[in-house]
Amino acid sequence: MAEERPPVEMSQPEPLSVLWRVLSAPQTLLVLMGLLALTLVLGTWIPQIPPEESSDPQAWLAAQPGLFGQLSSVVRTLGLYDLYRTFWFRLLLVLSGLAIFVRAVDAAELALQATGRRGRASAMPPPWQSSLPPRQVPAPLPLAEVRPRIEEWLAGQRYRHEEVQASSESPAVTLIASHRAPSLWLRPVGYAALLLALAGLFVAGSWGWQDESVQLLPGEVRSAGHGTSLAYRLDSFRLRMDRHGHLAGYESEITWLDGQAEIGREAAGIGRPARQSGLALHQAGFVPSVQLSGQTATGQPLRLEGSSAEMGSGDRVLVRFALPDDQPLVFVPLLDRFVALTFEPECDGGRPAVHLDLIDADGENRQRLGSLGSSGTLPLGDGQLSVELSFVPVLRLESRPALALSFAGALVALLALGLAWALPPRLAWLGLAPAGEDGSAVGVTVLPGAGQREWLAGLAGGLEEALQDGD
């Protein structure tokens, strides 16, 4: 029977060899790639400080609303507001690049040995590559008869094989058997593409930026800034409903401007930014814009007072939500009460709606005036409140140079490594040596990998059957 034997004792490895083994370990690359993916997710979720605010990050953090404002100390301590310029992010990129480079060299050396011209193959796997425990196949035949049988069996199984040059003083013979050896080059190609993707991330992190989110009404223009002459204009914003009347998505029609000249039009949707000259305008959400006006029972205009200077005061006020979970207030002097507005992106009917409540100054006695998904009127005391409702997009401009290079590299890497997994190459070292007076032994060594252990067992079993006496 084919049996496993422990690997031969190795001499004490040098520190550089140990470092190489650590970097080439699959677990090392998996951990580094996991940390890198987590960092990219955080960088997308957490607003990144604009370059013009980098001189006073504490003030910028303190002004952030919601969760990020509350957790500003944690965000500041870990540098999460400027992730792509932190030392630890760049260190993570460097370590990931080193690990991928080591595995690329490892894979390229192996592919060269397996597919290169005769004389380049090694008598054993490269010293920096680990291998599965060798399998020992006994043969009740002299060495002179073992080799022809092995070569005949390998040819029948469509294995390419060649002899490794060995010492003339040793009777042992080493053969390298391979199947689909050219596919060994898929791994170094995949690792090289990953290196390209990491290089793109490094450039994007070092020289990229992300602006704060802005809200635009149709026709409004916003300069891109950052030393460019570009600007963008919101042409329209629309909600998309499905056949049941539920919100299915939303998108903004954007016109790019260079000075006064229009240079392009594009739609920005969730996960589909509008791009121009290295800039990406992301659709980060939408909020309501509400214009309120009222009339008394006698038909006279009702005075309204906004809770901020931007809303204004008088016969008409404009309420713009800074965030979807805002609750702006409008004071009605005639009633000595406030109108509170809340936004629900998807109410019971599956459509966005604005709720209007009448409350006392102390927040008590909350009374629902009504809920609107479009413009309309609501009763207010003895008079009425006119509501002009529209929705405006929340947009965020960013620049990530060389990010397309990262995506292309990642795509090529996935394709190459996926093919390497689907079409795995087979490579084995067969050591033939005399054992006893009339017997021989064949040691079979293969490298680790998906399905390699099962293949090793099948290979050893096939060789044992081919080497039975009397065949």
PDB file of all heavy atoms in Angstrom, residues 2 135 137 153 456-466:
ATOM      1  N   ALA A   2       0.373   2.317  -0.634  1.00  0.00           N
ATOM      2  CA  ALA A   2       1.091   3.593  -0.586  1.00  0.00           C
ATOM      3  C   ALA A   2       0.918   4.172   0.800  1.00  0.00           C
ATOM      4  O   ALA A   2      -0.179   4.206   1.348  1.00  0.00           O
ATOM      5  CB  ALA A   2       0.526   4.564  -1.627  1.00  0.00           C
ATOM      6  N   ARG A 135       4.390  10.688  -0.411  1.00  0.00           N
ATOM      7  CA  ARG A 135       3.834   9.341  -0.363  1.00  0.00           C
ATOM      8  C   ARG A 135       4.895   8.364  -0.850  1.00  0.00           C
ATOM      9  O   ARG A 135       5.564   8.599  -1.858  1.00  0.00           O
ATOM     10  CB  ARG A 135       2.585   9.242  -1.234  1.00  0.00           C
ATOM     11  CG  ARG A 135       1.446  10.136  -0.799  1.00  0.00           C
ATOM     12  CD  ARG A 135       0.870   9.714   0.531  1.00  0.00           C
ATOM     13  NE  ARG A 135       0.198   8.432   0.435  1.00  0.00           N
ATOM     14  CZ  ARG A 135      -1.121   8.292   0.269  1.00  0.00           C
ATOM     15  NH1 ARG A 135      -1.879   9.363   0.181  1.00  0.00           N
ATOM     16  NH2 ARG A 135      -1.665   7.095   0.195  1.00  0.00           N
ATOM     17  N   VAL A 137       5.704   4.747  -2.376  1.00  0.00           N
ATOM     18  CA  VAL A 137       5.097   3.649  -3.131  1.00  0.00           C
ATOM     19  C   VAL A 137       6.131   2.533  -3.273  1.00  0.00           C
ATOM     20  O   VAL A 137       7.131   2.690  -3.983  1.00  0.00           O
ATOM     21  CB  VAL A 137       4.636   4.117  -4.522  1.00  0.00           C
ATOM     22  CG1 VAL A 137       4.016   2.966  -5.300  1.00  0.00           C
ATOM     23  CG2 VAL A 137       3.647   5.274  -4.400  1.00  0.00           C
ATOM     24  N   TRP A 153       3.144   4.279 -17.775  1.00  0.00           N
ATOM     25  CA  TRP A 153       1.882   4.638 -17.103  1.00  0.00           C
ATOM     26  C   TRP A 153       1.621   6.135 -17.193  1.00  0.00           C
ATOM     27  O   TRP A 153       0.495   6.559 -17.438  1.00  0.00           O
ATOM     28  CB  TRP A 153       1.957   4.204 -15.634  1.00  0.00           C
ATOM     29  CG  TRP A 153       0.665   4.432 -14.898  1.00  0.00           C
ATOM     30  CD1 TRP A 153      -0.418   3.609 -14.871  1.00  0.00           C
ATOM     31  CD2 TRP A 153       0.327   5.574 -14.106  1.00  0.00           C
ATOM     32  NE1 TRP A 153      -1.429   4.160 -14.099  1.00  0.00           N
ATOM     33  CE2 TRP A 153      -0.987   5.372 -13.618  1.00  0.00           C
ATOM     34  CE3 TRP A 153       0.996   6.736 -13.744  1.00  0.00           C
ATOM     35  CZ2 TRP A 153      -1.635   6.292 -12.798  1.00  0.00           C
ATOM     36  CZ3 TRP A 153       0.347   7.656 -12.936  1.00  0.00           C
ATOM     37  CH2 TRP A 153      -0.948   7.440 -12.471  1.00  0.00           C
ATOM     38  N   LEU A 456      -2.952  13.464  -5.074  1.00  0.00           N
ATOM     39  CA  LEU A 456      -1.753  12.731  -4.648  1.00  0.00           C
ATOM     40  C   LEU A 456      -2.104  11.291  -4.305  1.00  0.00           C
ATOM     41  O   LEU A 456      -1.381  10.351  -4.692  1.00  0.00           O
ATOM     42  CB  LEU A 456      -1.117  13.428  -3.449  1.00  0.00           C
ATOM     43  CG  LEU A 456       0.039  12.684  -2.758  1.00  0.00           C
ATOM     44  CD1 LEU A 456       1.172  12.408  -3.729  1.00  0.00           C
ATOM     45  CD2 LEU A 456       0.539  13.474  -1.554  1.00  0.00           C
ATOM     46  N   ALA A 457      -3.203  11.079  -3.586  1.00  0.00           N
ATOM     47  CA  ALA A 457      -3.610   9.722  -3.237  1.00  0.00           C
ATOM     48  C   ALA A 457      -3.920   8.911  -4.489  1.00  0.00           C
ATOM     49  O   ALA A 457      -3.528   7.739  -4.605  1.00  0.00           O
ATOM     50  CB  ALA A 457      -4.823   9.764  -2.306  1.00  0.00           C
ATOM     51  N   GLY A 458      -4.629   9.532  -5.464  1.00  0.00           N
ATOM     52  CA  GLY A 458      -4.933   8.817  -6.698  1.00  0.00           C
ATOM     53  C   GLY A 458      -3.690   8.513  -7.516  1.00  0.00           C
ATOM     54  O   GLY A 458      -3.568   7.433  -8.108  1.00  0.00           O
ATOM     55  N   LEU A 459      -2.754   9.471  -7.564  1.00  0.00           N
ATOM     56  CA  LEU A 459      -1.517   9.265  -8.310  1.00  0.00           C
ATOM     57  C   LEU A 459      -0.692   8.139  -7.699  1.00  0.00           C
ATOM     58  O   LEU A 459      -0.190   7.256  -8.414  1.00  0.00           O
ATOM     59  CB  LEU A 459      -0.713  10.564  -8.332  1.00  0.00           C
ATOM     60  CG  LEU A 459       0.647  10.531  -9.047  1.00  0.00           C
ATOM     61  CD1 LEU A 459       0.460  10.215 -10.531  1.00  0.00           C
ATOM     62  CD2 LEU A 459       1.377  11.860  -8.881  1.00  0.00           C
ATOM     63  N   ALA A 460      -0.547   8.148  -6.367  1.00  0.00           N
ATOM     64  CA  ALA A 460       0.220   7.095  -5.703  1.00  0.00           C
ATOM     65  C   ALA A 460      -0.437   5.733  -5.890  1.00  0.00           C
ATOM     66  O   ALA A 460       0.241   4.714  -6.123  1.00  0.00           O
ATOM     67  CB  ALA A 460       0.360   7.421  -4.216  1.00  0.00           C
ATOM     68  N   GLY A 461      -1.799   5.711  -5.817  1.00  0.00           N
ATOM     69  CA  GLY A 461      -2.502   4.445  -6.020  1.00  0.00           C
ATOM     70  C   GLY A 461      -2.326   3.918  -7.428  1.00  0.00           C
ATOM     71  O   GLY A 461      -2.130   2.708  -7.635  1.00  0.00           O
ATOM     72  N   GLY A 462      -2.375   4.798  -8.439  1.00  0.00           N
ATOM     73  CA  GLY A 462      -2.169   4.358  -9.814  1.00  0.00           C
ATOM     74  C   GLY A 462      -0.761   3.838 -10.055  1.00  0.00           C
ATOM     75  O   GLY A 462      -0.564   2.830 -10.754  1.00  0.00           O
ATOM     76  N   LEU A 463       0.245   4.513  -9.478  1.00  0.00           N
ATOM     77  CA  LEU A 463       1.626   4.042  -9.633  1.00  0.00           C
ATOM     78  C   LEU A 463       1.813   2.688  -8.955  1.00  0.00           C
ATOM     79  O   LEU A 463       2.511   1.801  -9.477  1.00  0.00           O
ATOM     80  CB  LEU A 463       2.580   5.080  -9.021  1.00  0.00           C
ATOM     81  CG  LEU A 463       2.749   6.371  -9.806  1.00  0.00           C
ATOM     82  CD1 LEU A 463       3.565   7.380  -9.005  1.00  0.00           C
ATOM     83  CD2 LEU A 463       3.401   6.126 -11.175  1.00  0.00           C
ATOM     84  N   GLU A 464       1.216   2.494  -7.781  1.00  0.00           N
ATOM     85  CA  GLU A 464       1.360   1.215  -7.072  1.00  0.00           C
ATOM     86  C   GLU A 464       0.780   0.088  -7.881  1.00  0.00           C
ATOM     87  O   GLU A 464       1.376  -0.992  -7.977  1.00  0.00           O
ATOM     88  CB  GLU A 464       0.669   1.320  -5.717  1.00  0.00           C
ATOM     89  CG  GLU A 464       0.843   0.071  -4.871  1.00  0.00           C
ATOM     90  CD  GLU A 464       0.184   0.184  -3.523  1.00  0.00           C
ATOM     91  OE1 GLU A 464      -0.569   1.157  -3.311  1.00  0.00           O
ATOM     92  OE2 GLU A 464       0.429  -0.684  -2.683  1.00  0.00           O
ATOM     93  N   GLU A 465      -0.380   0.346  -8.508  1.00  0.00           N
ATOM     94  CA  GLU A 465      -0.991  -0.700  -9.320  1.00  0.00           C
ATOM     95  C   GLU A 465      -0.145  -1.010 -10.558  1.00  0.00           C
ATOM     96  O   GLU A 465      -0.007  -2.167 -10.942  1.00  0.00           O
ATOM     97  CB  GLU A 465      -2.387  -0.245  -9.751  1.00  0.00           C
ATOM     98  CG  GLU A 465      -3.162  -1.272 -10.525  1.00  0.00           C
ATOM     99  CD  GLU A 465      -4.551  -0.820 -10.902  1.00  0.00           C
ATOM    100  OE1 GLU A 465      -4.990   0.210 -10.333  1.00  0.00           O
ATOM    101  OE2 GLU A 465      -5.187  -1.460 -11.742  1.00  0.00           O
ATOM    102  N   ALA A 466       0.459   0.039 -11.146  1.00  0.00           N
ATOM    103  CA  ALA A 466       1.292  -0.184 -12.338  1.00  0.00           C
ATOM    104  C   ALA A 466       2.587  -0.902 -12.018  1.00  0.00           C
ATOM    105  O   ALA A 466       3.179  -1.530 -12.903  1.00  0.00           O
ATOM    106  CB  ALA A 466       1.581   1.155 -13.010  1.00  0.00           C
TER     107      ALA A 466
END
